Amino acid sequence: MKLDLEQIKDLIPHRDPFLFVDTCEIILPGEHGKSEKYFSKDEFFFSGHFPNNPIVPGVIIVEAMAQTAGIVVSYKLRDYKEKSVLFMSVNKAKFRKPILPNDTVKFEVKFLNSVRDVYKFEGICFKDDTKVSEAEFSAMITYK
């Protein structure tokens, strides 16, 4: 199932300028998904990170992975309308190559495990076919 931006907005609360996923493919609901993001030269963070040498900040890359996992889990739990996905931790983050203005990157996330309402995922970011970053992260699902 390939989700467009409006379908993504139905699943997670993030909005511009802090939504870092343009499309998301749900491969296995709750467990595996792939997303894509085009980082235009006009992104708000490029003017300060860094002047005359803009690159996407590592925290934005990890956030995009976490948003992708949030979409994958929220898609599985879409019948529960009153829920939140809260980022809890990040581990083993590695940044191998920079992401530049006007780059399109792909994120892939895979479920590792869960304990109660805490889900742990691994994520990888690719530019073309090159792995540019990776991380493990966890989030808690809360229901209202």
Side-chain angles (χ1 to χ4, degrees):
M1 162 74 59
K2 187 129 183 189
L3 306 176
D4 64 23
L5 191 57
E6 292 308 310
Q7 292 168 307
I8 289 166
K9 288 179 180 179
D10 287 341
L11 295 172
I12 61 174
H14 303 78
R15 298 294 182 266
D16 189 50
F18 215 76
L19 177 57
F20 301 115
V21 176
D22 295 332
T23 63
C24 186
E25 179 183 2
I26 307 295
I27 296 168
L28 185 59
E31 295 191 26
H32 187 194
K34 295 180 180 182
S35 69
E36 190 170 291
K37 171 65 178 165
Y38 169 72
F39 287 101
S40 83
K41 65 179 177 47
D42 299 321
E43 301 286 348
F44 73 92
F45 45 79
F46 282 138
S47 64
H49 196 270
F50 300 98
N52 302 315
N53 187 26
I55 63 171
V56 176
V59 296
I60 301 292
I61 297 166
V62 173
E63 176 66 24
M65 287 185 230
Q67 288 180 13
T68 303
I71 295 163
V72 169
V73 170
S74 292
Y75 184 81
K76 181 178 181 180
L77 303 174
R78 64 191 177 278
D79 291 337
Y80 298 94
K81 295 294 181 192
E82 297 294 320
K83 67 181 172 323
S84 295
V85 180
L86 306 173
F87 199 10
M88 292 180 62
S89 70
V90 60
N91 293 295
K92 301 181 183 177
K94 294 182 181 160
F95 306 98
R96 301 175 187 287
K97 297 199 183 273
I99 297 170
L100 306 173
N102 299 317
D103 278 347
T104 297
V105 293
K106 296 180 180 181
F107 302 96
E108 182 170 7
V109 298
K110 293 182 181 176
F111 173 79
L112 293 174
N113 62 47
S114 66
V115 177
R116 291 181 260 218
D117 291 329
V118 176
Y119 291 73
K120 186 174 181 181
F121 275 81
E122 65 179 348
I124 301 173
C125 177
F126 297 93
K127 186 165 78 172
D128 298 317
D129 290 328
T130 303
K131 183 193 301 187
V132 295
S133 62
E134 61 193 276
E136 289 183 1
F137 45 89
S138 63
M140 178 186 299
I141 310 294
T142 61
Y143 302 92
K144 298 176 185 176

